[in-house]
C-alpha cells in the first residue's frame, strides 16, 4: 500500500530553444516522466514542470540568421519541443518558456534579495570584442590556435586536440565565429555573485544525500580550487532580461534558466489556484527534485542552491544526475545516422519501445546509457511482445469464446498470486530510487513465471476435454490476472500499453490494484496490444537521420546541441596512423593525485627517458600494484597542460570502465623504450 500522501514537485533540465529534441534529451525526459507517473500512481500529489531555455547569444544569432525575432523563434521551437515530448507520452503539467513575465519577475526578485543581502558586487573585466558585430564574444564564438599545443581552428575555451582548457584571451590568432573579424580586448563592468560566501552551506548540502555520492565527490574539486565569484551579467546585444538599474546589462542565461523551474510552476499555480509558496518557501515541507545531465551538475548543485539560499527560498530535496546516451557503443554521430531526432524516431517507431528500453537500462547512477539497436530490437520483442503481451494473448481467446468473456470466480494457484503481489514492495522501492533496471528485471522474472505456469497447464489442450472446462477457465483467468498485475507495475513506463490493457480488462489501474484480483469480471475482446519491432524500420530511421557532411561542414556559429560535434565521423589515412609512436614503458612510480577522482600520476621509464603521464585508471588500480609493470604508451603525443601538472603522453587501456579497466601489458621479453609495431 502507498504511504501517506506526499507533496512533490519535479523538473527536467530545460531544452535549449534553438535545436530539435533528440534521443539524448529523451533519456532525461523519459526518466523524469516514469518517476512522476509512478508517484501519481501511488496516490501522491506530484506536479512536474519544464520549459524551453530561451535566452543567450546563440538564440539571438540563430534568430538573426532566420530573419525573425528571437521571441517568435523560441515560441515556435517551444511548440515543436512540447509536441515531440507529448508524442513520447512525456506528460508535464506545464511546459513553458523562460522568456516569460513570471520568470522576469522572479529573476528580478532573487537578484534584488541577493543584492540587498550584500551578495552582488561589480568590477571591470577585459573580454574579446567583435568590432564588426559590435558585441562581446562568448567563449564558444571565438576560434583560433591552441596556446598549449599549437593546433589551429580550436574553440575559445578548450582544445579538441590536446584537451587543454584556457581563457579566450589566451587564444593565438583569435577570430570571431560570428563575423570572421579579429577580436579586440575591451573593458566592461560586470556583476558578480559572491559564491564563496556559501561554501559551508554547499558542503553540507552536497553531503546531505541530495545528490549521488559520486557527483558530490566530483564537485569537491571546486572547493579544492577555491570557489570563485560568479559573473552573472552579459553586455548588450543579448537576448535576455535586463538587470534592474543597469541599462545595457543582462542576466547571464544560467541565472534565469533555473529560475525558469519556479516560473513554469508559478504559471501553473496561477491558473489552478495552487499555493506557489507552499512549494518554494524556505520552510516548505514539500519535496523538490531536479532531473539533469551530468554536464550541468555544477550549475544545479553549486550556483543554484546558493542563489536560492541567499534569496530566502528552499533548496532542492534532490538533484538526480544521469549520464549521456551513446548509440551502438559510440557518441551520437550525424554521419552514421545515430544522431537521431525525436521526430525522426516517431516517424518510424513506437515511442513505447524507447521508453521501455531506456527503463531497462536506467539506474540511479550516472553511467552513460548505450542504445544498441540489435539489443533494442531483441529486448522489446522478447520482453514486451514475447513475454508480457503473450500472457494475455494466450488466455484471452479462450475466455472470450468459451466462457462468455467472464473471468472465473475461483482463484487458481494462490501461492503464485501471492508471489506476484508481494513483489509490489520491491518494485516500488526500485522505482522510487530510480533503479528502473532493477524494477524491469523483477517484472520480467514474474512474466517468465506466468508463462511457465501457462505452458505447464496447457489450456489449449485441456480446452478440448469437457471434464476440464472449469480447470481451463481458472487457468486462463489466472493468466489474465497475472498479466494485469504486470501491467500495474509497467504502467509508469508504458502508459499507452497500460491504457489499451485497461480497455481490454475493463478496469482502471493504480498501484494498489495489484493487491486484488478480478473475479467473475467481464473483459473485452482482445485486440493486439503491441507489434514487434521491425528491423527494417530501425534501418529506415537511421538512413533518415544521416546528413550530408559536406553540406554541414561550414563556419556557421555552433548553435546546435552540445552533442552535434562528432569526433569520430572523419577517418584518417594509414600515413596518419603510422605517425603514432607506441613505446614500451616501465611504470617507475605511480601515485594518487590529490583532488582528482579518476587520475593516477605515473612516471614512465622509456629506457633512459622519463615521461610524466596522468592516466584515468584510478578506479581500477591501486598505485602500488602498478610500480614495476610494463605498459604501452603513446610517446609522441603533444604535452597537455592539466590542472595537476603536465601530462606528456597517454597510457593505453581498455574496458567498459570502473573496475573493469585494464592497461595494456606487453609480453615478457619487452624492454622499456622498444617501439610497438
Amino acid at each position: 500500500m502507498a504511504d501517506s500522501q506526499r507533496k512533490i514537485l519535479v523538473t527536467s533540465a530545460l531544452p535549449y530553444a534553438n535545436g530539435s529534441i533528440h534521443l539524448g534529451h529523451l533519456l532525461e525526459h523519459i526518466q523524469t516522466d516514469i518517476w512522476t507517473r509512478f508517484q501519481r500512481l501511488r496516490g501522491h500529489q506530484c506536479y512536474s514542470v519544464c520549459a524551453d531555455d530561451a535566452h543567450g547569444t546563440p538564440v539571438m544569432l540563430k534568430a538573426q540568421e532566420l530573419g525573425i525575432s528571437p521571441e517568435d523563434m523560441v515560441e515556435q521551437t517551444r511548440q515543436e519541443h512540447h509536441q515531440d515530448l507529448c508524442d513520447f507520452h512525456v506528460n508535464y503539467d506545464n511546459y513553458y518558456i523562460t522568456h516569460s513575465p513570471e520568470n522576469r519577475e522572479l529573476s528580478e526578485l532573487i537578484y534584488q534579495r541577493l543584492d540587498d543581502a550584500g551578495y552582488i558586487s561589480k568590477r571591470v573585466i577585459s573580454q574579446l570584442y567583435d568590432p564588426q558585430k559590435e558585441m562581446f564574444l562568448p567563449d564558444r564564438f571565438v576560434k583560433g590556435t591552441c596556446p598549449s599545443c599549437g593546433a589551429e581552428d580550436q574553440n575559445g575555451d578548450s582544445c579538441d586536440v590536446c584537451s587543454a582548457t584556457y581563457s579566450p584571451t589566451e587564444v593565438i590568432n583569435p577570430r570571431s565565429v560570428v563575423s570572421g573579424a579579429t577580436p579586440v580586448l575591451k573593458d566592461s563592468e560586470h556583476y558578480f555573485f559572491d559564491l564563496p560566501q556559501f561554501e559551508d552551506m554547499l558542503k553540507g548540502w552536497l553531503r546531505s544525500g541530495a545528490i549521488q555520492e559520486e557527483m558530490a565527490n566530483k564537485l569537491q574539486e571546486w572547493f579544492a580550487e577555491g570557489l570563485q565569484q560568479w559573473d552573472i551579467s552579459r553586455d548588450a546585444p543579448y537576448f535576455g532580461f535586463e538587470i534592474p538599474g543597469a541599462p545595457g546589462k543582462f542576466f547571464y542565461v544560467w541565472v534565469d534558466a533555473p529560475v525558469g523551474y519556479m516560473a513554469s510552476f508559478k504559471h501553473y499555480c496561477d491558473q489552478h489556484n495552487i499555493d506557489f509558496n507552499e512549494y518554494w518557501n524556505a520552510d516548505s515541507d514539500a519535496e523538490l527534485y531536479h532531473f539533469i545531465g551530468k554536464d550541468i551538475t555544477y550549475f544545479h548543485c553549486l550556483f543554484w542552491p546558493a542563489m536560492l539560499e541567499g534569496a530566502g527560498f528552499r533548496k532542492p530535496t534532490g538533484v538526480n544526475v544521469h549520464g549521456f546516451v551513446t548509440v551502438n557503443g559510440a557518441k551520437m554521430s550525424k554521419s552514421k545516422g545515430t544522431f537521431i531526432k525525436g521526430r525522426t524516431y516517431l516517424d518510424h517507431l513506437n515511442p513505447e519501445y524507447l521508453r521501455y528500453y531506456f527503463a531497462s537500462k536506467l539506474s540511479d547512477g550516472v553511467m552513460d546509457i548505450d542504445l544498441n539497436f540489435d539489443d533494442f530490437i531483441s529486448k522489446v520483442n522478447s520482453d514486451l511482445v514475447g513475454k508480457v503481451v503473450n500472457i494475455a494473448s494466450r488466455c484471452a481467446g479462450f475466455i472470450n469464446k468459451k466462457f462468455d468473456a467472464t473471468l472465473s470466480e475461483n482463484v487458481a494457484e494462490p501461492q503464485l498470486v501471492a508471489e506476484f503481489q508481494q513483489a509490489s514492495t520491491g518494485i516500488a522501492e526500485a522505482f522510487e530510487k530510480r533503479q528502473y533496471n532493477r524494477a524491469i528485471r523483477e517484472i520480467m522474472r514474474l512474466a517468465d513465471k506466468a508463462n511457465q505456469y501457462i505452458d505447464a497447464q496447457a489450456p489449449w489442450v485441456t480446452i478440448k476435454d469437457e471434464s476440464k472446462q472449469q480447470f481451463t477457465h481458472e487457468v486462463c483467468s489466472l493468466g489474465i490476472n497475472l498479466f494485469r498485475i504486470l501491467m500495474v507495475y509497467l504502467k509508469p513506463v508504458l502508459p499507452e500499453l497500460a491504457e489499451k490493457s485497461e480497455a481490454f480488462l475493463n478496469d482502471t489501474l493504480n498501484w494498489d490494484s495489484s493487491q486484488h484480483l478480478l473475479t467473475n469480471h467481464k473483459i473485452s475482446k482482445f485486440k493486439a496490444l503491441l507489434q514487434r519491432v521491425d528491423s527494417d524500420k530501425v534501418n529506415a530511421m537511421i538512413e533518415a537521420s544521416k546528413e550530408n557532411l559536406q553540406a554541414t561542414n561550414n563556419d556557421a556559429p555552433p548553435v546546435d546541441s552540445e552533442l552535434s560535434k562528432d569526433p569520430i565521423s572523419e577517418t584518417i589515412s594509414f600515413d596518419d596512423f603510422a605517425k603514432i609512436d607506441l613505446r614500451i614503458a616501465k611504470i617507475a612510480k605511480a601515485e594518487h593525485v590529490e583532488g582528482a577522482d579518476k587520475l593516477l600520476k605515473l612516471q614512465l621509464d622509456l629506457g633512459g627517458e622519463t615521461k610524466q603521464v596522468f592516466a584515468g585508471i584510478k578506479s581500477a588500480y591501486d598505485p602500488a600494484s602498478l610500480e614495476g609493470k610494463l605498459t604501452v604508451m603513446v610517446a609522441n603525443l603533444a604535452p597537455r597542460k592539466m590542472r595537476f601538472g603536465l601530462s606528456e603522453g597517454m597510457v593505453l587501456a581498455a574496458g567498459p570502465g570502473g573496475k573493469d579497466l585494464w592497461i595494456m601489458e606487453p609480453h615478457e621479453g619487452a624492454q622499456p623504450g622498444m617501439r610497438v609495431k
Side-chain angles (χ1 to χ4, degrees), residues 45-225:
Q45 185 184 77
C46 184
Y47 299 111
S48 64
V49 298
C50 194
D52 258 27
D53 184 4
H55 291 152
T57 304
V59 163
M60 179 183 73
L61 294 174
K62 184 73 170 180
Q64 288 177 8
E65 181 187 321
L66 296 174
I68 59 177
S69 71
E71 290 85 354
D72 287 345
M73 190 192 89
V74 297
E75 178 53 33
Q76 290 173 17
T77 308
R78 189 203 71 80
Q79 291 177 20
E80 176 198 317
H81 286 176
H82 191 209
Q83 189 61 57
D84 286 352
L85 294 170
C86 287
D87 289 348
F88 276 94
H89 312 314
V90 175
N91 182 26
Y92 290 112
D93 291 295
N94 197 47
Y95 191 86
Y96 206 33
I97 198 163
T98 58
H99 192 69
S100 71
E102 294 89 350
N103 200 14
R104 182 190 295 274
E105 176 189 333
L106 285 163
S107 296
E108 290 179 354
L109 174 65
I110 288 173
Y111 170 79
Q112 201 61 59
R113 288 184 179 182
L114 295 175
D115 192 24
D116 291 345
Y119 297 127
I120 303 296
S121 61
K122 295 183 283 186
R123 70 172 182 269
V124 174
I125 63 171
S126 295
Q127 294 174 282
L128 291 180
Y129 181 83
D130 185 328
Q132 188 171 317
K133 293 290 287 187
E134 297 183 332
M135 61 179 286
F136 287 97
L137 294 168
D139 299 355
R140 63 195 299 210
F141 289 93
V142 176
K143 280 192 176 287
T145 302
C146 171
S148 180
C149 72
E152 296 182 359
D153 200 36
Q154 296 305 306
N155 293 322
D157 57 354
S158 63
C159 176
D160 288 340
V161 176
C162 72
S163 300
T165 57
Y166 39 77
S167 166
T169 56
E170 298 178 78
V171 173
I172 301 167
N173 299 324
R175 77 172 190 281
S176 166
V177 174
V178 184
S179 68
T182 300
V184 296
L185 271 179
K186 187 174 180 179
D187 289 345
S188 175
E189 185 176 61
H190 273 232
Y191 290 67
F192 291 83
F193 171 53
D194 198 356
L195 186 64
Q197 290 200 47
F198 297 88
E199 180 170 335
D200 290 342
M201 179 278 290
L202 289 169
K203 284 181 175 178
W205 180 77
L206 287 170
R207 293 304 184 191
S208 69
I211 185 173
Q212 293 106 310
E213 186 177 357
E214 59 192 296
M215 297 311 298
N217 291 338
K218 180 70 175 171
L219 287 166
Q220 296 306 308
E221 294 178 12
W222 284 71
F223 299 109
E225 294 180 351

Side-chain angles (χ1 to χ4, degrees), residues 398 457-465 468-469 472:
F398 298 124
Q457 307 311 314
W460 50 89
V461 175
T462 59
I463 194 70
K464 300 173 184 176
D465 187 337
K468 293 184 177 181
Q469 296 302 292
T472 305

Side-chain angles (χ1 to χ4, degrees), residues 397-439:
F398 298 124
I399 298 292
N400 287 130
K401 294 174 185 175
K402 296 289 187 178
F403 304 109
D404 193 29
T406 304
L407 301 178
S408 66
E409 184 73 40
N410 297 323
V411 177
E413 299 293 331
Q415 284 185 319
L416 183 59
V417 171
E419 181 180 353
F420 272 60
Q421 292 177 329
Q422 289 164 7
S424 170
T425 302
I427 293 170
E429 181 185 70
F431 275 124
E432 178 68 42
K433 293 181 177 178
R434 306 183 318 285
Q435 297 169 351
Y436 303 164
N437 54 356
R438 181 161 70 91

